[in-house]
Amino acid sequence: LYFSDATSGSGEYDGYLNYNQSTQILALGTAAATRMTIDSNGAVNMPNQPAFLATIATQADVTGDGTSYDVTGSFFTEVYDKNSDFNNGTFTAPVTGTYHFCFVMTLTGIDASSHTNGSHTFVSSNRSIAFYNNPGADRNTSLGGNTFVFSTYIDMDANDTAFFRVSVSGGSKVVDLFSTSTMSGVLVS
């Protein structure tokens, strides 16, 4: 089933619904390209769905004295970025929707007795979502820190931005954001 806006070229099948009997795959297309497929098991593939995963290089002495550190900059390495919506730690929503974000944060240089307050925040245009913890509690002795996982859903409008902010207080500015930290996100609805 083709939706045409021209009498020749790719405009003839600008939009389409195509079922391939031999592969048993249903394809939905817009702008003359397949945007979604459903296979015979019901698995849905949306290859252009906004999604990213990025790792970071260690950032030294970013907090510890209550300094808020925006985890943005060119130290991110993208593992994947399906729609090129993530750049240097900042995600820009391509469409209005609900997005799921996850930040796996490893902090090192934590002093168990003084670094007792942590406030870590997903900052977005519509709202900010904060998490509070005691970074010195259950501190890994050999690492000199902890790994924390922060996960949330955020409603975003097209062109809204989101990034992660880290703050640890109670001591001096010696806390590092370690290279095992990652940030990810995906449009869910």
Side-chain angles (χ1 to χ4, degrees), residues 33-108:
T34 298
R35 303 302 182 188
M36 181 173 75
T37 61
I38 304 172
D39 71 10
S40 60
N41 295 317
V44 177
N45 182 13
M46 296 181 290
N48 295 77
Q49 185 77 346
F52 73 92
L53 170 64
T55 62
I56 68 168
T58 297
Q59 298 301 296
D61 302 336
V62 297
T63 188
D65 61 350
T67 302
S68 290
Y69 179 73
D70 292 349
V71 187
T72 58
S74 60
F75 49 82
F76 277 91
T77 300
E78 292 180 2
V79 177
Y80 60 84
D81 183 4
K82 284 192 171 183
N83 241 14
S84 299
D85 303 309
F86 183 78
N87 186 32
N88 292 336
T90 300
F91 176 80
T92 303
V95 297
T96 298
T98 302
Y99 293 80
H100 178 256
F101 292 99
C102 184
F103 192 80
V104 178
M105 176 180 71
T106 300
L107 295 176
T108 60

Side-chain angles (χ1 to χ4, degrees), residues 121-187:
T121 309
F122 280 104
V123 179
S124 73
S125 302
N126 282 346
R127 71 193 75 259
S128 295
I129 299 173
F131 302 86
Y132 301 96
N133 65 359
N134 179 345
D138 301 318
R139 179 178 158 271
N140 179 294
T141 306
S142 62
L143 179 65
N146 275 329
T147 298
F148 306 93
V149 178
F150 305 98
S151 176
T152 192
Y153 292 88
I154 299 175
D155 59 308
M156 299 181 76
D157 299 318
N159 298 313
D160 281 355
T161 59
F163 63 90
F164 198 74
R165 177 175 290 150
V166 176
S167 179
V168 174
S169 58
S172 58
K173 192 172 183 175
V174 295
V175 177
D176 302 339
L177 187 59
F178 197 59
S179 62
T180 56
S181 301
T182 63
M183 185 172 176
S184 61
V186 62
L187 172 65

